[in-house]
């Protein structure tokens, strides 16, 4: 039988140098976890993904919530982001919430690409798209900004309920198709 080691309260377990190192390392890890969790659904080059928020893919009840509660104005705070040729994906029957506050992003963000064609032929349908935190409403519910020569094209946005996205004291848009879209 292996005896378990249990430290004694009076035992010195770490030098001040080691303690400083681990404190710094834990802070870096914490920040990486926060960043990773703030990006929610990040479809980076993903193709042919279907996200259907209905139980057993039947009926009309939206049982899947995709929520990003970050109120920051940094890249990666959208609830769903299509990037780097994410193509032929479908998101349907979900409740999608974010309080992304950048003028060049949205709750759902069709982003740029470093690949060959843009984020094309994606379908967003039968969803509820709204803010996550009423005090910090997003500027745009859905935003698309493609890359020169690699437009985001033939994306379908249909039969969604887009509501409570009006940013207080700011110009807001339900769907904003920016350049290269």
């Amino acid at each position: 039988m292996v005896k378990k080691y249990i430290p004694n309260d009076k035992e010195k377990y770490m030098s001040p140098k080691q303690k400083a190192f681990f404190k710094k390392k834990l802070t870096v890890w914490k920040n990486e976890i926060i960043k990773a969790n703030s990006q929610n659904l990040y479809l980076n080059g993903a193709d042919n993904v279907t996200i259907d928020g209905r139980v057993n893919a039947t009926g009309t009840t939206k049982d899947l919530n995709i929520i990003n509660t970050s109120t920051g104005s940094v890249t990666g705070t959208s609830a769903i982001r299509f990037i780097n040729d994410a193509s032929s994906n479908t998101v349907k029957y979900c409740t999608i919430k974010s309080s992304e506050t950048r003028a060049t992003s949205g709750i759902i963000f069709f982003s740029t690409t470093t690949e060959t064609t843009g984020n094309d032929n994606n379908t967003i349908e039968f969803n509820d798209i709204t803010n996550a935190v009423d005090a910090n409403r997003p500027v745009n519910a859905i935003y698309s900004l493609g890359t020169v020569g690699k437009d985001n094209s033939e994306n379908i946005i249909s039969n969604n309920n887009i509501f409570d996205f009006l940013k207080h004291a700011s110009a807001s848009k339900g769907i904003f198709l920016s350049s290269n879209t």
Side-chain angles (χ1 to χ4, degrees):
M1 185 165 147
V2 177
K3 189 173 180 179
K4 268 172 103 174
Y5 170 74
I6 300 172
N8 182 322
D9 288 343
K10 296 176 184 173
E11 182 180 358
K12 188 157 181 123
Y13 61 91
M14 208 179 288
S15 73
K17 231 180 190 180
Q18 290 171 318
K19 189 175 181 180
F21 170 81
F22 282 110
K23 184 177 181 180
K24 184 177 178 183
K25 193 70 171 166
L26 287 170
T27 301
V28 168
W29 288 341
K30 177 188 87 170
N31 291 336
E32 287 174 356
I33 290 168
I34 290 170
K35 181 179 178 190
N37 287 316
S38 72
Q39 294 176 346
N40 271 25
L41 192 51
Y42 195 74
L43 297 170
N44 188 350
D47 295 334
N48 303 304
V49 173
T50 297
I51 299 163
D52 189 334
R54 301 173 295 172
V55 174
N56 297 321
T58 60
T60 59
T61 303
K62 298 168 183 80
D63 292 304
L64 177 63
N65 297 320
I66 302 169
I67 303 170
N68 187 335
T69 58
S70 173
T71 57
S73 61
V74 296
T75 300
T77 52
S78 298
I80 300 174
R81 185 176 184 195
F82 297 86
I83 188 168
N84 291 327
D85 287 4
S87 298
S88 302
N89 301 295
T90 300
V91 180
K92 60 185 177 179
Y93 294 101
C94 297
T95 299
I96 305 166
K97 296 181 177 185
S98 173
S99 289
E100 157 49 80
T101 59
R102 293 178 47 202
T104 56
S105 189
I107 297 168
I108 297 175
F109 182 17
F110 294 94
S111 189
T112 56
T113 187
T114 57
E115 300 299 323
T116 56
T117 65
N119 303 296
D120 306 319
N121 302 303
N122 297 293
T123 302
I124 309 294
E125 62 184 356
F126 303 109
N127 300 289
D128 289 338
I129 302 168
T130 189
N131 73 76
V133 180
D134 190 58
N136 291 328
R137 291 183 178 188
V139 175
N140 305 301
I142 299 173
Y143 183 82
S144 180
L145 171 67
T147 303
V148 174
K150 303 171 187 178
D151 296 353
N152 292 337
S153 62
E154 300 191 37
N155 293 307
I156 298 169
I157 300 165
S158 68
N159 298 304
N160 297 287
N161 298 314
I162 302 173
F163 58 98
D164 292 343
F165 61 88
L166 181 63
K167 176 90 173 142
H168 304 290
S170 180
S172 299
K173 295 153 191 83
I175 300 173
F176 184 180
L177 303 178
S178 191
S179 58
N180 306 306
T181 298

